Amino acid sequence: MSDITMIHAPQKRVPFAQEAAGALTILALGAVGYFLYPDDLAFLTRLIGIAFLVLSLDLVTGYCGVATLGHAAQFGVGAYAAGIACIRGVTDPVALLGVGLVAGTIMGLISGALITRFRGLPQLVLSIAVGQLVAGLANKLSWLTGGSDGLSGIEPGKVFGVFGFDMYSRTGYLFSLAVLVITFVVLQRFVRSPFGLMCRGIKDDDLRAKMIGVSIYPRLVAMYGVAGAVAGIGGALTAISTGVVGLDSVSFERSAEVLVMLVLGGAGHLWGALAGTVIFMIFEHVVAAANPFHWMTMVGLLLILIVVFAPRGLIAPVMSLWTKMTRKGKAA
Amino acid sequence: MSVLLEARGVCRSFGGLDVTRDVNFKLVSGDRVALIGPNGAGKTTLVNLITGDIAPSRGQFWMGDDDITGLSIPERVRRGLVRTFQTTRLFANLTVADNVALAIMQRKRISRRIFSSATELPEVKAEWSEILAHLGLDHLAYRKVIELAYGQQRLIELAIGLALHPKVLLLDEPAAGVPHDEAPKILDAINRLPADIAVLMIEHDMDLVFKFARRVLVLAAGRLIFEGSPADVTADHEVRRAYLGSYADARHSA
Ligand SMILES: Nc1ncnc2c1ncn2[C@@H]1O[C@H](COP(=O)(O)OP(=O)(O)OP(=O)(O)O)[C@@H](O)[C@H]1O
Ligand SMILES: [Mg+2]
């Protein structure tokens, strides 16, 4: 039986061992990208930005069971906010991340307050509506957002006043990677906290949760706020490192694509979100370059295979293998 | 004796079918009450009404001096009104320990913490270990609920109920589906509860009813038709006609 929760079983070893392992894994993968694919750093930086959005989606969909096809709104609002702030003179990259974080949080709280009032199909439809509303506004408020041309000329200052953004995306990549590591470690902690665990409980059975005294709605709205923060950081990072923000960052396609990535990797697990992003984005990058006309067909095929052979995402078999190994290790 | 829960003239119907008809009763501190009645009598519906799962069409529920009829489910739980479900409702994809830990953390008002590791908090772990040990579930603590046998899942329902430190505990057929030799654990657990809380148990197994209850309520077709001691209930003519029949005879011949 594949079994993701066992990873939460008692591992009375070094405190923060899981967090350290998580950080090191991401750093190692990041180093592979940096040294082996120096020409693709711009792409890999975009990948990391999207990873934030998929992680964010995982928080509401994988951990809380909220169905949404409008999640790009949180990401896009973060990106636009950071971009606009930068053009208007706030150029410190870390401050811009803060701007994205705050904007994403606010957007998350608003979306959550609307979307989690409902369940099932109405919830899904509402999430699309919220996403479309934000996309519509991004297009209409062209004095602020640049409309269909998007925002360009975003020129952030140096990170900590030392590392300037370069045309090879080296700084952008390393900065994004560092922020991802920090965010990921914090999230690892967060999803195992009482709050995070309760969200998984609500996803399993909300009547049971009510019957132990939990008010569901405020919890879900709060979780949406956290998810918004994560997505907002991703949006801001993308704005900072690419220098442009376009309507694609709030589009329905973006929302749908990240849902596909999450399902691909495995919802309900942070590693699933990361794995899904990496596999989907690289697949798209490689196949689209080789065969620009049929890459969507290939993606479709890949998805069908995954859903048939690994319905709980690619991460599930990996996790159950890991569990078996650690169980054996303990028995020995 | 202080009244912990009171039903006043509670009625409920589903599309013309009167499932609860003018029900009045009181649960006082220290009560150990069995609620019995034939299948479909409306026992579970009554529990659903008490906990706020469904709203009564007429009547109110009171806890002490407060009318709780308008309160939400979680608000009632926070006042100590706790139930278990006849058909288990658990956090199926979480571990047994997590299921109980969530209830404990919610009771202790620490379930909003966002940075400590949930199940391993020492003060929480001590509690869930003890509850699970008493119910003989400790070896299953780190198993997912969904992997367990149904009888074991039934006991987890009870474990969650106990973890909430109820003032009024409503048990909807806690022994149904539990293997016979494990059923005494349920009584043991109830006997360990503080004496001053009120426990109402829906149960078909009359052996268990006789061991548990000091008072019996009989519900038939949505109406409370009898209230009295376990000994009286088997003697009561109307109850026997409505429901008991075979049980009473079995006890007399035993
Ligand atoms: N939500 C509902 N909608 C319609 N009818 C309902 C609903 N809930 C219960 N009923 C009906 O109310 C009647 C009483 O059901 P209830 O589950 O309360 O009986 P019970 O006494 O608990 O029976 P059992 O001993 O089988 O558990 C049944 O006829 C049932 O079909
Ligand atoms: Mg019933």
Side-chain angles (χ1 to χ4, degrees):
Chain A
M1 179 125 211
S2 51
D3 180 337
I4 291 187
T5 13
M6 278 311 294
I7 210 76
H8 299 293
Q11 283 154 357
K12 274 268 159 201
R13 289 170 305 172
V14 202
F16 297 104
Q18 267 191 45
E19 289 78 2
L24 287 177
T25 310
I26 297 175
L27 283 175
L29 288 172
V32 170
Y34 188 79
F35 290 112
L36 296 189
Y37 302 98
D39 299 333
D40 290 317
L41 290 185
F43 160 71
L44 292 176
T45 308
R46 264 194 301 123
L47 186 156
I48 294 176
I50 296 295
F52 280 86
L53 179 54
V54 183
L55 282 169
S56 164
L57 181 66
D58 199 12
L59 291 182
V60 298
T61 300
Y63 284 88
C64 297
V66 175
T68 165
L69 271 170
H71 211 65
Q74 270 82 260
F75 179 88
V77 166
Y80 273 110
I84 291 165
C86 187
I87 290 171
R88 315 226 155 168
V90 183
T91 55
D92 180 65
V94 179
L96 288 173
L97 283 190
V99 170
L101 185 149
V102 171
T105 307
I106 294 169
M107 188 63 220
L109 290 174
I110 296 171
S111 311
L114 288 168
I115 293 169
T116 64
R117 267 253 171 255
F118 301 85
R119 313 227 92 203
L121 273 185
Q123 182 176 67
L124 190 66
V125 170
L126 201 61
S127 75
I128 296 174
V130 170
Q132 291 303 297
L133 194 70
V134 171
L137 283 177
N139 192 15
K140 272 279 175 283
L141 304 176
S142 51
W143 57 273
L144 190 65
T145 61
S148 54
D149 297 333
L151 281 180
S152 54
I154 301 166
E155 285 165 14
K158 295 175 174 176
V159 182
F160 304 128
V162 182
F163 309 102
F165 286 89
D166 54 295
M167 59 178 294
Y168 305 103
S169 292
R170 278 194 206 117
T171 304
Y173 178 73
L174 293 176
F175 183 51
S176 301
L177 190 64
V179 179
L180 178 66
V181 168
I182 295 165
T183 309
F184 194 82
V185 167
V186 171
L187 286 182
Q188 271 185 308
R189 207 75 201 147
F190 173 65
V191 297
R192 281 187 293 131
S193 69
F195 185 94
L197 189 65
M198 189 65 85
C199 286
R200 291 170 51 205
I202 291 170
K203 179 190 175 189
D204 265 9
D205 191 333
D206 61 340
L207 179 59
R208 169 39 85 193
K210 283 185 204 160
M211 281 296 174
I212 64 173
V214 184
S215 307
I216 312 270
Y217 180 60
R219 299 270 176 157
L220 294 181
V221 175
M223 188 58 143
Y224 242 97
V226 176
V230 174
I233 293 174
L237 268 178
T238 307
I240 294 168
S241 53
T242 61
V244 292
V245 180
L247 285 177
D248 61 309
S249 63
V250 285
S251 65
F252 177 78
E253 287 74 20
R254 172 66 51 86
S255 291
E257 226 171 46
V258 291
L259 186 60
V260 168
M261 293 185 212
L262 182 61
V263 172
L264 184 76
H269 208 282
L270 296 177
W271 287 114
L274 274 197
T277 315
V278 170
I279 292 166
F280 184 97
M281 294 275 294
I282 290 181
F283 190 80
E284 172 185 334
H285 190 63
V286 172
V287 177
N291 192 338
F293 299 108
H294 288 303
W295 85 268
M296 273 315 272
T297 325
M298 305 289 280
V299 169
L301 212 62
L302 175 75
L303 255 183
I304 291 169
L305 287 176
I306 301 280
V307 171
V308 171
F309 291 106
R312 304 199 325 156
L314 289 171
I315 203 73
V318 179
M319 282 298 156
S320 62
L321 191 71
W322 168 260
T323 308
K324 269 189 206 120
M325 276 161 46
T326 47
R327 263 186 198 170
K328 274 213 189 91
K330 231 181 283 162
Chain B
M1 276 290 167
S2 63
V3 177
L4 296 181
L5 177 75
E6 183 179 355
R8 294 187 191 164
V10 174
C11 303
R12 171 75 207 211
S13 56
F14 290 111
L17 176 69
D18 291 326
V19 179
T20 310
R21 305 180 198 208
D22 190 26
V23 168
N24 294 280
F25 66 85
K26 287 180 185 170
L27 294 183
V28 299
S29 172
D31 245 338
R32 297 292 182 269
V33 179
L35 175 64
I36 64 173
N39 290 110
K43 304 181 295 295
T44 299
T45 303
L46 185 56
V47 170
N48 289 343
L49 285 163
I50 297 171
T51 55
D53 238 21
I54 50 178
S57 32
R58 231 167 332 120
Q60 312 103 39
F61 292 102
W62 291 73
M63 284 184 89
D65 297 328
D66 302 327
D67 182 352
I68 60 161
T69 320
L71 297 186
S72 70
I73 295 174
E75 282 165 334
R76 294 180 202 213
V77 176
R78 282 175 223 143
R79 286 172 182 243
L81 189 57
V82 171
R83 77 174 293 181
T84 66
F85 288 93
Q86 180 175 1
T87 29
T88 44
R89 300 202 65 146
L90 299 165
F91 303 125
N93 293 298
L94 304 187
T95 64
V96 175
D98 284 343
N99 269 265
V100 184
L102 282 177
I104 296 168
M105 291 187 295
Q106 182 61 27
R107 189 195 83 231
K108 287 178 176 271
R109 303 275 187 276
I110 57 172
S111 70
R112 282 188 205 83
R113 288 193 191 169
I114 56 168
F115 225 63
S116 42
S117 178
T119 337
E120 301 301 315
L121 282 172
E123 71 266 34
V124 176
K125 184 169 181 177
E127 236 183 90
W128 63 248
S129 321
E130 190 187 334
I131 293 174
L132 292 181
H134 280 316
L135 293 171
L137 297 167
D138 36 351
H139 62 293
L140 300 170
Y142 293 110
R143 293 280 296 281
K144 270 206 240 181
V145 165
I146 205 170
E147 298 172 2
L148 303 190
Y150 187 67
Q152 294 166 328
Q153 295 191 11
R154 301 285 324 169
L155 290 175
I156 301 168
E157 275 283 333
L158 183 60
I160 292 175
L162 300 176
L164 291 167
H165 288 191
K167 290 202 182 71
V168 176
L169 178 61
L170 312 167
L171 302 168
D172 197 347
E173 304 197 20
V178 176
H180 209 71
D181 53 327
E182 294 198 30
K185 284 182 194 158
I186 295 171
L187 274 183
D188 288 347
I190 294 169
N191 289 335
R192 264 192 306 275
L193 286 168
D196 60 339
I197 76 166
V199 183
L200 177 130
M201 185 199 284
I202 299 174
E203 189 49 66
H204 285 294
D205 178 351
M206 290 306 284
D207 269 350
L208 200 56
V209 167
F210 278 93
K211 282 184 193 140
F212 159 76
R214 276 166 246 153
R215 195 151 71 91
V216 179
L217 301 173
V218 182
L219 195 69
R223 209 183 286 282
L224 280 179
I225 59 162
F226 176 88
E227 176 179 351
S229 73
D232 293 343
V233 82
T234 49
D236 186 88
H237 183 68
E238 201 180 338
V239 173
R240 292 172 68 132
R241 213 170 37 129
Y243 163 65
L244 269 173
S246 54
Y247 289 116
D249 294 341
R251 265 195 83 77
H252 281 300
S253 58

